[in-house]
Structure formats: structure tokens, C-alpha cells
Amino acid sequence: MWLHTSCDLEFDITVPTPFVLMLRPRSGAQQWVTREEYRLVPSVPMFEFTDYYGNLCQRLVAPPGAFTVSTAAEVMTADCVDQAPGASFVEVQDLPDTVLSYLLPSRYCESDRFHQMATSITAGQQLGYDQVAAIETWLHTTIRYETGMSDVPVSAVEVNARQSGICRDLSHLGIALCRSLSIPARMVVGYLYGLEPMDLHAWFEAFLAGRWYTFDATQAELKGGYVVIGYGRDAADVAVYNQFGPAVYPTTQKVRVQRIEKEIC
Amino acid sequence: MWLHTSCDLEFDITVPTPFVLMLRPRSGAQQWVTREEYRLVPSVPMFEFTDYYGNLCQRLVAPPGAFTVSTAAEVMTADCVDQAPGASFVEVQDLPDTVLSYLLPSRYCESDRFHQMATSITAGQQLGYDQVAAIETWLHTTIRYETGMSDVPVSAVEVNARQSGICRDLSHLGIALCRSLSIPARMVVGYLYGLEPMDLHAWFEAFLAGRWYTFDATQAELKGGYVVIGYGRDAADVAVYNQFGPAVYPTTQKVRVQRIEKEIC
Amino acid sequence: MWLHTSCDLEFDITVPTPFVLMLRPRSGAQQWVTREEYRLVPSVPMFEFTDYYGNLCQRLVAPPGAFTVSTAAEVMTADCVDQAPGASFVEVQDLPDTVLSYLLPSRYCESDRFHQMATSITAGQQLGYDQVAAIETWLHTTIRYETGMSDVPVSAVEVNARQSGICRDLSHLGIALCRSLSIPARMVVGYLYGLEPMDLHAWFEAFLAGRWYTFDATQAELKGGYVVIGYGRDAADVAVYNQFGPAVYPTTQKVRVQRIEKEIC
Amino acid sequence: MWLHTSCDLEFDITVPTPFVLMLRPRSGAQQWVTREEYRLVPSVPMFEFTDYYGNLCQRLVAPPGAFTVSTAAEVMTADCVDQAPGASFVEVQDLPDTVLSYLLPSRYCESDRFHQMATSITAGQQLGYDQVAAIETWLHTTIRYETGMSDVPVSAVEVNARQSGICRDLSHLGIALCRSLSIPARMVVGYLYGLEPMDLHAWFEAFLAGRWYTFDATQAELKGGYVVIGYGRDAADVAVYNQFGPAVYPTTQKVRVQRIEKEIC
């Protein structure tokens, strides 16, 4: 399906503040961006680089006063997400080199503390996709999903203690559980068509049978309409904005995802 | 200055033909892309990757029949190009690792055959920027600049034999001469505001005093308005389209570069 | 100085166990490896790759039974470590792209929780090197340094609660404090000549005035003789061995660092 | 089989001369280096980096006078080289991104000039491995193989004109022929056990059925005992030494490859 996505952030800046933004969906194996827009008001110099995970990141220094970042894109993405019950566990020795780092614990996914719990949640499951599906179901039915944004990311250990969390938090716990079973898992941030209430979204992917599969513990069933902005080990890697110096939060964050018809001529 | 650039390619395809395209200007240290469009008719799946040189490349298989690729962008680029007479030669041992490969001979820049000629052209010049400026001037006054497109790229040795060439050919000779003096040089393809007649353009950069500087032997004087699409060792690396199988040439290639006013509110 | 380093690990394996090892010092800007040895008993196929941070990593599957990994190297390293009191803080907008990820919180360095504490420890210091030196001194005088190895890595928050830790733990806290002040910091594992008792060692580096500087809160004063095995964001990235499946610890770990005279003929 | 390889180069340097060396075999999918030595006389600072192709490269400035580089390694390599008659051609659209650059023409492999000739040599062959085998046989029976070293690399076009060449030259022609058929091909330099007369060697690899296969037009039949030092597009990328400034050739180049028994205890 073709989607029009947009994210407008408005900040109230007091001192010149360096930002690293990650707001540009990239064309790749799973989506194709045909139109895109990136606007800063006021206009300031902006430099782009590619991080370790292949994400396009933008650097700038926001000047004091009102500062707005507006991005929009037209993206082609899958109508339904691939699912593969029974897809096999990949032995660690057979994983591609670049996937290995997604087995390690990271800031918000303390996978080194979850082996026992993951084993119990996935008891009786065939190794691989079915384990991750069991984790996803367990999260969906056990951890209360809250909408809205929390101020700071919360780690898997903390989410497990609270038994509730936003999309990002559920993903952290899902990722930690997967990794503790030697299943590579990574964080994804982006857009989801039809999300209620509309906002930026976070979900996770697990590497099974030679490729990455999408999981989302916040949804009753997996539908299509996902648009990826960034991949990483956890929320620390894929913040849509990182600012340095005194904390700054958007005064407004407006996210929209609309289905569009693309004329083919 | 703000520029609106566009390139429309139309092909007449007989058998399904794999393409690798390089038509997406990237935001970076020298330019900032704020709006962009990439349209295929008919629409086919397209995958993007980043090559060794940091260029965004698009892969697809063109179906038989008329096939059109339309790209456009709004880009902020410098009003005037940095020049630095006297800027110093960088000793090979002091070059960044990533710059070293731009010292080696490549397909169309047989730098291993030009040392004597380069030495003679740059006789009496201070090592560094002034040598490259002398090469640029020599090219401009000696090699006849032809507009239009040639079918196949021509190497530095061939250009030197012919004493004439299009922008790409002059760049090949310029690059070969620089490298033969141990000055790293690379090919750039992109747009140039005000080019007559308007078309895609090619020029070169040399690494001096710690950074890359722009040179263009086709212009009487360096002005601003350059928009980079890709960097590489020579034309083999930065073809805006590479197709595999039976040769295919665009039936139409329409390039436009217009100055625009960006409202800043 | 020239050093001969060696690390012998012996494991008692019960089921075939995949390992990722990081035990090969690499030649680079700070050290030069002239002789090197890497021996497995029994001999099994081993594959090497380079991770995100440039470390050489070795993958293998250890067979059941006694399994020994023996590595040794002759390395040239600096007689004394560069120090630069007064070296300046680098504004975030001026950091190289590749250094930015060392500003983010990571598994064992929860820098997002230490800003206030870091500000207090470095009160009155000039921004930059002197702040890190103050952190190093504070760690050295405040956190009790324990020798020996702990079973699992401990995070900065935990180290701060315990007020004691091994080299790795002190580094985690040092790194978290630096990052909370927007100073990029990374973990280093390797060898240190003269360490008492001899073992593998961990320390940290901070990025100041355009380059990385060495800091080591376990030593009363910085001397030379450091040999780097790996760099990373924290201990999760630079484990000398990661094994997957049932936990396995070395039954023996023998580390040696000796000064040698290299004949120069 | 286990091999002991060594290469000793002796230069007579007149002015301080920057070198980039490529003399360190790397452990990887096809070989495992267990012992290694790298000695410079006189000893000078040396810096190592990894190039685009994953090769370990060493940079130094050779001082005036006699200058010796001695390298040795113990390497495990395959007893016989994998061959796969019938292995399929990979459609360009299915090639991994990183393999695409091995389809392009390069300095010494002007593949853009060989399509017709390659088609004729491989007439009647099944697409894929059998085409490359036909090219290898054609080279072996048509182009006279000369031993020894030539001063400067010679390109495929030139080799084809001369109908003779050393190992490197035959590889250039083989690579150009493969690429002209849209089969990715790359240059390899290294050691070959049993080569007569013993010297550094060059051969090529082609990408078929999802992996790289070894081809060597200088040998009547493919045996094992290959040790890779470097991969690249052609000889320009994999020179075991590149020196900058006045041309310098080794006064002595001593290469040895011996079979060894590794004690496994």
C-alpha cells in the first residue's frame, strides 16, 4: 500500500542546542520512498551521515527560540506483514556476522537477566519463530499496553517490574527475552498505518530462518502498513531526536499516516 | 542558493533488464536536500543500497516496453565554490586511510602513465592546490570541450590522444594527472546551475590541505550551484545508470536545474 | 616498548558451544603487532570477521571436552601514555560522525542517569580533559578497586551503589560519567604491563581536542605499556569471549605480559 | 593443509618514501592464520587499516638506505579447491549489494570491451560456472603463461593483444571476460603451494550460485594450497606494495611456501 507519513516536531529552545535527528525513512528491502520532504524553520545548516545500523541521521544546532522540524514522505510498503510459523531457529554459528551484535545485551534490553523467564514463557514451543510468537503473545496478554509517550525510555527489567509500558517498553522486553534465547532481535521505530491514537511507533524484529521478521506486541494481530524510520539495538540507538545539553522536549509532536492512491501515469 | 533539479530518463526496453541507478542526491557536508521525488512508470519494486563511496544506489528490473524514471529534488548548495590558492599538498603518509584509494589508477584514469606529462604541466607551481589549478587551466585551454553525450566513457589516455572530450572525459584526464603527482582525485557527477546546454554534468575534486576541493575544466571560472549525485574513482563508479544485458540507451533524457526562492516561514 | 603478551584460556565443554572470541590485538595508530600466535586445541574451524568497532572477532564451535585457546603477540606500544591537561571539550556539533555513538547510554553505562553526579564531581574544572581527569581521580579515591574477576559485568548504577568494583566496573562508571557531560567515552580491554596481579585489564578512553585519550582509574599514575585488544561501548561489546548456550567459564585463564628486547637486525 | 608462507622484500631507498603494503593474510572463511610475523629493518612506525575490500593494509615511510620487510605466516587452508560444474549464473538482480562492484570495468579489466569475445569463447556452455571454466580453459590453452614478474601491470586489452602474460595478466583477461558476461569476478593475490618457480601468485574468483569460486588459468588442474593475501577489482587494488614518489623496486624478493605438520597438543 502507498502511505503518506509526516512528523512535525516543535521545540522551544533556550540555548543553542546540538541535535542528532533520525527522521528520514530509507528506501530498502522492505519499503520504497518516492517522495520526501524535510523542512526546518528557521533554516539552519544540516549535515547527514549514516550510522552503524544503516540509518540516515541528521545533525544540526538548533538556535534559541521556536524551532520546527517537519518531515513527510510517500512510501510504498507491504499490505500485510510476512509471518512464518515454524520458521527455524538459526544456530549462532550460522548467523551472518552483521547479525551477531543483536544477540548482545544493550542499554534497555538486559538480556543477560532473562534466560529463565524466557525459557518458561516459551516452554513447549518449537525452537525459532514459534518461540518469538509465544513471547509476543505473552507480552500482549500480560503486560498492560499504555498509549502516549513516557519521558525516558524504560529498560526490560523495569518494564517487567511494572507490568505495563508503551510500545517502546514492550519492545524492550520482547527483545531481551529473544536475545536471552540466542535469537537475534532488534528495535524498530517508525510509523504504523491505523495506529490509535496516531503517534510514532516502536516494534521489534527477530532473525529467523535467514531473515528478519516483524513482531508487535501492541497489536492484536499483525497487519501491514509499517514504515521503518530506523533500526537499532534498542531505544538508545533509534531516538528520533537526541539533543545534547539541557533537556528539551517537543512542545508539539504531530504525526500523521494516511493511505493514498498513487496514479500510475 | 536553493535549486530545483530534475532528471527524467525514458527507456525503450525489449527484455527484462536489471538496472543499478544512481540518481538520488544525498544530504551531506556540502548540500542539503529538503524535498525529493523518485517516480517509476510503470511502478516496479526497487531496492536501495549504499556503495563503497557512500552513494545511494537503486536496483530494479525494468520490464519490456516504455520505462520512465523521473527524479527531482530541492537542494541547498553553496553560492560560490571554495577555492584555496596555495593550499598545501598532503604528504601521502598523512592522508586519511579512506582517501588512499583515490591515488590509485582506475578504469578510465590511467594515472600510472601520466607522471611525466603532469610534471611538465605543473612545472614551477607550488606543490598542492596550485598544481591542480594549473592542470585545470591546461585542460581548459588545451583540450577542446565538447558538449553533448558520448556513448561510452573514454579514458584519460584516449582523451589525451584526441585532444577533445565531454565533461566526463576532461575530468578523467584531470584526475589521472593529479593522481600521477600523488594528489588524490575523484570523479563527481551531478547538476550544475546555468550549464549550457543543460545536462547532467561531471567534474572532479582533489584532496588538498585536509579536504576536497572542486575543479571543473569545462568552465571559464568556478561559480556555485553544484549539486552532487555521486562520487567515485571515475565514470565506472558513478554511472547514473548501469544496465546489464543488451545495451539500452535512454530515448529521452531531460535535465533541469532552476533557481528557487524558499520561503523561510 | 616491546611487549610479549599471552592469554591462555581453558574450558571444559559439555555440549557443542558456539563462541565469539576477541583475542587478537590489531595493529593500528597506537600499537604495532609484529608477531602473533593463535592456537586451538583441539583444532576446529575458525572464522574471523571485523565488528562495528573495527575489532577482529573469531567465531567457532567448541567441541565437548577440554578446549584450549592460546594466543600470544609481540607488540610495540608507547612507553608513556599521552596526557593533555587543558585539552578542550569538543562541541557535539564538531564531533566526527563515527564518534557520536559513544555519547549514547549503553548496557552497562547508563549515562542518562548520571548528569547531576558528574556535574558535581567536575565542579570548577575547565571543560574537557580536566573534567575527565577529575572523574578519574574521583573514581580512584572513592570507589574501592578490587582485583580478580567477577562473574558478570556490573553496570555503572550498580557500581556506584556498591562503591567498589574491578577494573571493568570502574571503567563503566567512568564512561557513564563522561557521556553524561557529552564527552564521548569508550571501553578498552587489553593488557597492561606491570599489572598486579597480572590479568586481562579494562580501562577507558575519552575523546578530547580531536582524539582519544587513555584514562585508567585503577592506577595511581598513568604509565605506558597498554596493549589494546578491543574497543566498544562497554563490556557487552568487548567480551574476550562470548559463548552461547549453557554458561561456560574458563577453568584456567593465564595471562602474561613481559618486556622484551627486539633485536633490530 | 597447514602451510608456512613467507615473503621477504628488500628495497634500496634513496629518499624517504611512503609505502602502502598488503602483506598480511587475514583469517576468514577460507583460511585460518595461527601464527604470523611482520618485521621491518630498520624498524619504523607502521599503521594498519582495512581497505574497502576487507584487506589489512600497512602504511609506513621507508627511510633512505637498505629497507627490509619480512613477513611469515602459518596458515590452514583447504587441501583441494571447491569446484562446481553446473553451478548456476546469478541474475544481476539477485546478487548481494556488495558483489555488484565486481561487475564494473576497472583499471586493468576493461570488461566493457570484451562482450563479443566472451560470448564466442563460452558458446554452447550452460550459463554460470561452465562459462567461467570455459574461459579458464581458453586462457590456459591460448594465452602463453610466462613466469617471473613484469614491471608494470598490463591490462586485459593489452594481454589479449600480446597473447602472453604472467599470472596477474591472465587473471586480468579472465576477469574482464567474466564481467562482460555479467558474472562478478575479482582478483586475488597470495601464495600457492607447489608453484614453480616459487613467487607471489595471482588468480581470480567468480561469483556463482551464491558464493565465490577459485579459478587459475596458469595451472593445468586446480589443486589446494592457496593462501589469500588480498582481494580487489584488479592489480591496482591488490598491489603487495604501493610506493609513492620516485619508482622503487625490490632488489630482492624471496617467497617461500612450505607444508608443515602442526602438532595438535
Side-chain angles (χ1 to χ4, degrees):
Chain A
M1 71 180 77
W2 287 98
L3 296 175
H4 180 275
T5 63
S6 68
C7 177
D8 298 334
L9 300 173
E10 207 172 312
F11 299 92
D12 194 8
I13 307 289
T14 51
V15 298
T17 303
F19 274 80
V20 177
L21 299 159
M22 193 187 290
L23 275 168
R24 181 163 262 173
R26 231 188 117 159
S27 291
Q30 317 207 9
Q31 62 190 18
W32 174 247
V33 179
T34 50
R35 197 174 297 201
E36 193 195 354
E37 205 166 327
Y38 207 124
R39 208 152 53 93
L40 308 176
V41 177
S43 184
V44 294
M46 192 144 167
F47 305 96
E48 195 165 63
F49 71 99
T50 305
D51 71 8
Y52 287 148
Y53 310 100
N55 305 308
L56 295 177
C57 303
Q58 300 85 37
R59 305 175 63 172
L60 59 80
V61 180
F67 181 67
T68 314
V69 180
S70 307
T71 65
E74 282 180 25
V75 189
M76 212 278 290
T77 189
D79 281 351
C80 37
V81 163
D82 288 350
Q83 302 186 46
S88 59
F89 173 76
V90 182
E91 297 287 339
V92 172
Q93 59 267 39
D94 299 327
L95 290 171
D97 296 338
T98 50
V99 169
L100 283 174
S101 72
Y102 295 106
L103 283 177
L104 301 177
S106 58
R107 170 66 184 94
Y108 300 111
C109 303
E110 308 96 332
S111 47
D112 45 324
R113 310 277 158 102
F114 281 95
H115 181 65
Q116 205 162 359
M117 184 170 147
T119 306
S120 136
I121 291 171
T122 62
Q125 301 294 340
Q126 196 182 328
L127 294 191
Y129 192 96
D130 296 356
Q131 289 177 301
V132 185
I135 288 169
E136 186 190 37
T137 303
W138 178 87
L139 286 168
H140 187 68
T141 55
T142 313
I143 308 292
R144 194 162 45 80
Y145 169 44
E146 295 167 339
T147 57
M149 292 290 279
S150 61
D151 280 0
V152 287
V154 170
S155 81
V157 164
E158 294 165 315
V159 177
N160 190 42
R162 295 182 187 183
Q163 298 279 303
S164 72
I166 64 167
C167 54
R168 190 179 53 193
D169 306 333
L170 269 68
S171 301
H172 282 155
L173 185 47
I175 292 168
L177 289 164
C178 289
R179 291 186 192 158
S180 77
L181 298 170
S182 296
I183 297 173
R186 66 181 178 185
M187 182 91 173
V188 195
V189 291
Y191 300 96
L192 172 57
Y193 173 64
L195 185 68
E196 278 294 336
M198 180 48 65
D199 205 340
L200 291 171
H201 191 50
W203 61 97
F204 68 104
E205 293 185 350
F207 192 87
L208 301 156
R211 53 159 286 192
W212 292 101
Y213 283 95
T214 297
F215 294 89
D216 187 343
T218 70
Q219 304 296 303
E221 53 173 332
L222 267 181
K223 292 183 207 139
Y226 285 86
V227 173
V228 177
I229 294 175
Y231 297 104
R233 300 208 291 196
D234 62 27
D237 292 329
V238 292
V240 294
Y241 58 92
N242 265 314
Q243 112 286 342
F244 302 89
V248 172
Y249 300 101
T251 50
T252 318
Q253 171 167 334
K254 219 174 353 182
V255 176
R256 254 172 313 197
V257 179
Q258 286 166 296
R259 190 148 187 182
I260 53 174
E261 294 307 314
K262 287 284 281 190
E263 15 114 36
I264 302 294
C265 46
Chain B
M1 71 179 80
W2 286 98
L3 297 175
H4 181 275
T5 64
S6 68
C7 176
D8 297 336
L9 300 173
E10 206 172 314
F11 299 92
D12 193 8
I13 307 289
T14 51
V15 297
T17 303
F19 274 79
V20 177
L21 299 158
M22 192 187 292
L23 275 167
R24 180 162 264 174
R26 236 190 113 160
S27 291
Q30 315 207 10
Q31 61 190 19
W32 175 247
V33 179
T34 50
R35 196 174 297 200
E36 193 195 354
E37 204 166 326
Y38 207 125
R39 206 153 53 92
L40 307 176
V41 178
S43 183
V44 294
M46 194 144 168
F47 306 96
E48 195 164 63
F49 71 100
T50 305
D51 71 9
Y52 287 148
Y53 310 99
N55 305 307
L56 295 177
C57 303
Q58 300 85 36
R59 305 175 62 172
L60 58 81
V61 179
F67 182 66
T68 313
V69 180
S70 308
T71 64
E74 282 180 25
V75 189
M76 210 279 288
T77 189
D79 280 350
C80 36
V81 164
D82 287 350
Q83 303 185 45
S88 60
F89 173 77
V90 182
E91 296 287 339
V92 171
Q93 58 268 38
D94 299 326
L95 290 171
D97 295 339
T98 50
V99 169
L100 283 175
S101 72
Y102 295 106
L103 282 177
L104 301 177
S106 58
R107 171 65 185 94
Y108 299 112
C109 303
E110 307 97 332
S111 47
D112 46 326
R113 309 278 157 102
F114 282 95
H115 181 64
Q116 204 161 0
M117 184 169 147
T119 305
S120 137
I121 290 170
T122 62
Q125 301 294 338
Q126 195 181 330
L127 295 191
Y129 193 96
D130 297 356
Q131 288 178 300
V132 186
I135 289 169
E136 186 190 38
T137 302
W138 178 87
L139 286 168
H140 187 66
T141 55
T142 313
I143 308 293
R144 193 160 47 79
Y145 170 43
E146 296 167 339
T147 57
M149 290 291 278
S150 61
D151 281 359
V152 286
V154 171
S155 82
V157 164
E158 294 165 314
V159 177
N160 189 42
R162 294 182 187 185
Q163 297 280 303
S164 71
I166 64 166
C167 53
R168 190 179 54 194
D169 307 333
L170 269 67
S171 300
H172 282 154
L173 185 47
I175 292 168
L177 289 164
C178 289
R179 290 186 193 158
S180 77
L181 299 170
S182 295
I183 297 173
R186 65 181 180 185
M187 182 92 174
V188 195
V189 292
Y191 300 97
L192 172 57
Y193 173 63
L195 185 67
E196 277 295 334
M198 180 47 67
D199 206 339
L200 291 171
H201 191 49
W203 60 96
F204 69 103
E205 292 185 351
F207 191 86
L208 300 156
R211 53 159 285 195
W212 291 101
Y213 283 95
T214 297
F215 295 90
D216 186 343
T218 70
Q219 303 297 303
E221 53 173 332
L222 269 181
K223 293 183 207 139
Y226 286 86
V227 173
V228 177
I229 294 174
Y231 297 105
R233 301 209 290 195
D234 62 27
D237 292 330
V238 291
V240 293
Y241 59 91
N242 264 315
Q243 113 287 341
F244 301 89
V248 172
Y249 299 100
T251 50
T252 318
Q253 171 167 334
K254 220 176 348 184
V255 175
R256 256 173 310 200
V257 179
Q258 287 167 295
R259 191 146 185 182
I260 52 173
E261 294 307 314
K262 288 284 283 189
E263 16 116 35
I264 301 294
C265 44
Chain C
M1 71 178 80
W2 286 98
L3 296 176
H4 181 275
T5 64
S6 68
C7 176
D8 298 335
L9 301 173
E10 207 171 314
F11 299 92
D12 193 9
I13 307 289
T14 51
V15 298
T17 303
F19 274 80
V20 177
L21 299 159
M22 193 188 291
L23 275 167
R24 180 163 263 174
R26 235 189 115 160
S27 291
Q30 317 207 8
Q31 61 190 21
W32 175 246
V33 179
T34 51
R35 196 175 296 202
E36 193 196 354
E37 205 166 327
Y38 208 124
R39 206 153 54 92
L40 307 176
V41 178
S43 183
V44 295
M46 193 145 168
F47 305 97
E48 196 165 63
F49 71 100
T50 305
D51 71 8
Y52 287 148
Y53 310 100
N55 304 308
L56 295 177
C57 303
Q58 300 85 36
R59 305 175 62 173
L60 59 81
V61 179
F67 181 66
T68 314
V69 180
S70 307
T71 65
E74 282 180 24
V75 188
M76 211 279 289
T77 190
D79 281 350
C80 37
V81 163
D82 287 350
Q83 301 186 46
S88 60
F89 173 77
V90 183
E91 297 287 340
V92 171
Q93 58 267 39
D94 299 326
L95 290 171
D97 296 339
T98 50
V99 169
L100 283 174
S101 72
Y102 294 106
L103 282 177
L104 302 176
S106 58
R107 171 64 185 93
Y108 300 111
C109 302
E110 306 98 332
S111 46
D112 45 325
R113 310 278 159 102
F114 281 96
H115 181 65
Q116 204 162 359
M117 185 170 145
T119 305
S120 137
I121 290 171
T122 61
Q125 300 295 339
Q126 196 182 329
L127 295 192
Y129 192 95
D130 297 356
Q131 288 177 302
V132 186
I135 288 169
E136 185 190 38
T137 302
W138 178 86
L139 286 168
H140 187 66
T141 54
T142 313
I143 308 293
R144 192 161 48 79
Y145 170 43
E146 295 166 340
T147 57
M149 291 289 280
S150 61
D151 283 359
V152 288
V154 170
S155 82
V157 165
E158 294 165 315
V159 177
N160 189 44
R162 294 182 187 184
Q163 297 281 303
S164 72
I166 64 166
C167 53
R168 190 178 54 195
D169 307 332
L170 269 67
S171 300
H172 282 154
L173 185 47
I175 292 167
L177 289 164
C178 289
R179 290 186 192 157
S180 77
L181 298 171
S182 295
I183 297 173
R186 66 181 179 184
M187 182 92 175
V188 195
V189 292
Y191 300 97
L192 172 57
Y193 173 63
L195 185 67
E196 277 295 335
M198 180 47 66
D199 206 339
L200 290 171
H201 191 50
W203 61 97
F204 68 104
E205 293 185 351
F207 191 86
L208 301 156
R211 51 160 287 194
W212 292 100
Y213 283 94
T214 297
F215 294 90
D216 187 341
T218 70
Q219 304 296 303
E221 54 174 332
L222 268 182
K223 291 182 209 142
Y226 286 85
V227 173
V228 176
I229 294 175
Y231 298 103
R233 301 209 291 195
D234 61 27
D237 292 329
V238 291
V240 293
Y241 58 92
N242 265 315
Q243 111 288 341
F244 301 90
V248 172
Y249 299 101
T251 51
T252 319
Q253 172 167 334
K254 221 176 346 185
V255 175
R256 256 174 309 199
V257 179
Q258 287 165 297
R259 191 148 186 183
I260 51 174
E261 294 307 314
K262 286 284 282 189
E263 14 116 36
I264 301 295
C265 45
Chain D
M1 71 179 78
W2 286 99
L3 296 175
H4 181 274
T5 64
S6 68
C7 176
D8 297 335
L9 300 173
E10 207 172 312
F11 299 92
D12 193 9
I13 307 290
T14 50
V15 298
T17 303
F19 274 80
V20 176
L21 299 160
M22 192 187 291
L23 276 167
R24 181 163 262 173
R26 233 188 114 160
S27 291
Q30 316 207 10
Q31 62 190 20
W32 174 246
V33 179
T34 51
R35 196 174 297 201
E36 192 195 353
E37 205 166 327
Y38 208 124
R39 208 152 53 93
L40 307 176
V41 177
S43 184
V44 294
M46 193 144 168
F47 305 96
E48 196 164 63
F49 71 100
T50 305
D51 71 9
Y52 286 147
Y53 310 99
N55 305 308
L56 296 177
C57 303
Q58 300 86 36
R59 304 174 64 173
L60 59 81
V61 180
F67 182 66
T68 314
V69 180
S70 307
T71 65
E74 282 180 26
V75 189
M76 212 278 290
T77 189
D79 281 350
C80 37
V81 163
D82 287 350
Q83 303 185 46
S88 60
F89 172 77
V90 182
E91 296 288 339
V92 171
Q93 58 268 39
D94 299 327
L95 289 172
D97 296 338
T98 52
V99 169
L100 283 174
S101 71
Y102 294 106
L103 283 177
L104 301 177
S106 58
R107 170 66 184 95
Y108 300 111
C109 302
E110 307 97 331
S111 47
D112 45 324
R113 310 277 157 102
F114 282 96
H115 181 64
Q116 205 162 359
M117 184 170 146
T119 305
S120 137
I121 290 171
T122 62
Q125 300 295 337
Q126 197 181 328
L127 295 191
Y129 192 97
D130 297 356
Q131 289 177 300
V132 186
I135 288 169
E136 186 190 36
T137 302
W138 179 86
L139 286 168
H140 187 68
T141 54
T142 313
I143 307 293
R144 195 160 45 79
Y145 169 43
E146 296 166 339
T147 57
M149 292 288 280
S150 60
D151 280 0
V152 287
V154 170
S155 82
V157 165
E158 294 166 314
V159 177
N160 189 42
R162 295 182 186 185
Q163 297 280 304
S164 72
I166 64 166
C167 53
R168 189 179 56 194
D169 307 334
L170 269 69
S171 300
H172 282 154
L173 184 48
I175 292 167
L177 289 164
C178 289
R179 290 186 193 158
S180 77
L181 299 170
S182 295
I183 298 173
R186 66 180 178 185
M187 182 91 174
V188 195
V189 291
Y191 300 97
L192 172 58
Y193 173 63
L195 185 67
E196 277 296 335
M198 180 48 65
D199 206 341
L200 291 171
H201 192 49
W203 60 97
F204 68 104
E205 293 185 350
F207 192 86
L208 301 155
R211 52 159 286 193
W212 292 101
Y213 283 95
T214 297
F215 294 89
D216 187 343
T218 70
Q219 304 296 304
E221 53 173 331
L222 268 181
K223 292 184 207 138
Y226 286 86
V227 173
V228 176
I229 292 175
Y231 297 104
R233 300 209 292 196
D234 62 26
D237 291 330
V238 290
V240 293
Y241 59 91
N242 265 315
Q243 112 286 344
F244 301 90
V248 172
Y249 299 101
T251 51
T252 318
Q253 171 166 336
K254 218 172 355 181
V255 176
R256 255 172 312 199
V257 179
Q258 286 167 296
R259 191 147 186 182
I260 52 173
E261 295 306 315
K262 287 284 282 189
E263 14 115 35
I264 302 293
C265 45

